[in-house]
Amino acid sequence: MSSTALQYTQNGDYLVPNIELNQPQTPLGKYGRMRRTFLKESRPILYNHLLLSGKLYPHLAEIDQAAKQRLEQMMPALTQAAGATEELKARDPMQWTSRMNACKAQAEEVIRNELIYN
């Protein structure tokens, strides 16, 4: 068993341990932040467990990556089903934008239900 000696700082009458959280500095994406908010508000025990065990950031990064991949997988099929083609984009850009936004909203609803709020 390896033991590392903690360093302490005097703060008034107390010795406070110098604890440093070693988390990656890569910012979380949209879906990772949504998951963090959900855990913090709706699953506080799980949130605290992940936070205190040092597994929160890896969990959030994994959810963020999985959500982005799921979105990339779903969009081609949804856009094809909605008829958001390059021909429509050239002919009626507003209609194409409307259909693309609807497809993205549909895909994000699935992602929220499957990955974020689960």
Side-chain angles (χ1 to χ4, degrees):
M1 180 190 304
S2 69
S3 66
T4 58
L6 281 176
Q7 301 293 321
Y8 293 88
T9 303
Q10 185 80 31
N11 188 356
D13 292 338
Y14 301 100
L15 286 175
V16 179
N18 298 335
I19 298 175
E20 189 174 309
L21 185 60
N22 295 323
Q23 291 290 341
Q25 296 301 313
T26 314
L28 288 173
K30 171 184 175 179
Y31 303 108
R33 292 190 312 268
M34 287 171 66
R35 177 69 173 172
R36 180 180 57 206
T37 301
F38 168 73
L39 290 174
K40 195 182 268 190
E41 294 175 358
S42 301
R43 307 278 308 274
I45 294 172
L46 177 58
Y47 174 81
N48 285 325
H49 172 72
L50 291 170
L51 179 65
L52 294 173
S53 66
K55 296 177 183 174
L56 180 63
Y57 183 85
H59 171 75
L60 297 175
E62 180 182 348
I63 292 291
D64 190 61
Q65 185 64 30
K68 288 176 185 175
Q69 288 175 349
R70 185 83 166 107
L71 183 65
E72 286 178 17
Q73 290 172 351
M74 293 175 66
M75 283 301 288
L78 290 173
T79 56
Q80 183 179 7
T85 63
E86 289 297 317
E87 188 251 320
L88 178 63
K89 184 178 182 180
R91 188 183 68 225
D92 189 354
M94 293 299 287
Q95 181 64 28
W96 179 84
T97 302
S98 174
R99 289 182 187 188
M100 289 298 288
N101 287 340
C103 291
K104 186 168 184 185
Q106 185 179 359
E108 286 187 335
E109 181 67 26
V110 171
I111 289 168
R112 282 192 299 272
N113 289 331
E114 289 180 356
L115 297 172
I116 308 298
Y117 303 137
N118 190 355

